[in-house]
Amino acid sequence: MEGLKLSDAELMVYIHPSKSRNVRKAICRELSSLLFQYDETFDGVLLAYDLTVGSKQAKILAGLTPYFGVRVNTKLLLFNPKPNSLVEGKILKVSLESIHVVVLGFSAAVITDVDIREEFKYRMKDGEECFVSRSDKDHVLKVGTMLRLQVQSFDEEVMHIAGSLIPANTGCVKWLEKKNDEEALHMDRDRKRRKL
């Protein structure tokens, strides 16, 4: 999935003296407070981290409460989908006007009816709202379907994605993978025929 990146970072984490007995736990608590929030320093939403304390030495900051800074090396997993990138999520709700998706379990995405390509037609199928492709009846978008969508915009404050299904490489992930496998099989057969 596009929008995910792994980044190495060298950070200085400032810790209150009362937490000096277990420095590693205090560092983890500080970094955990940044999880699932957009941070301009990292240019993304922090999803996970793996840290190693760089040095046993700490820098003491003068003041009423003398905090100390610990240098930390960490690997960060960040989420920051850029416009026109592809992300995947699970469909939560389908209506005539929109499709609602959750991406990575925390970010909401909405695809409005103007951003759904004309190939898809809204239907009620077995009492369930869905969008069905006119060109292939097996390409169905309904609640529970894993969906690949194109990002139009990402609102960092509320973790909201405005998405689109206009490009041909968007839609049901299983259907897209099956289609790609069939195309690869046809290309392989054509190569074998040419060799003969």
Side-chain angles (χ1 to χ4, degrees), residues 31 34-37 42 44-49 76-79:
L31 290 175
L34 301 173
L35 288 172
F36 299 105
Q37 296 178 32
F42 302 142
V45 178
L46 181 62
L47 299 180
Y49 61 88
L76 307 173
L77 179 61
L78 302 168
F79 177 65

Side-chain angles (χ1 to χ4, degrees), residues 6-18:
L6 195 59
S7 179
D8 291 320
E10 188 175 301
L11 306 172
M12 179 69 80
V13 180
Y14 297 102
I15 299 172
H16 191 275
S18 66

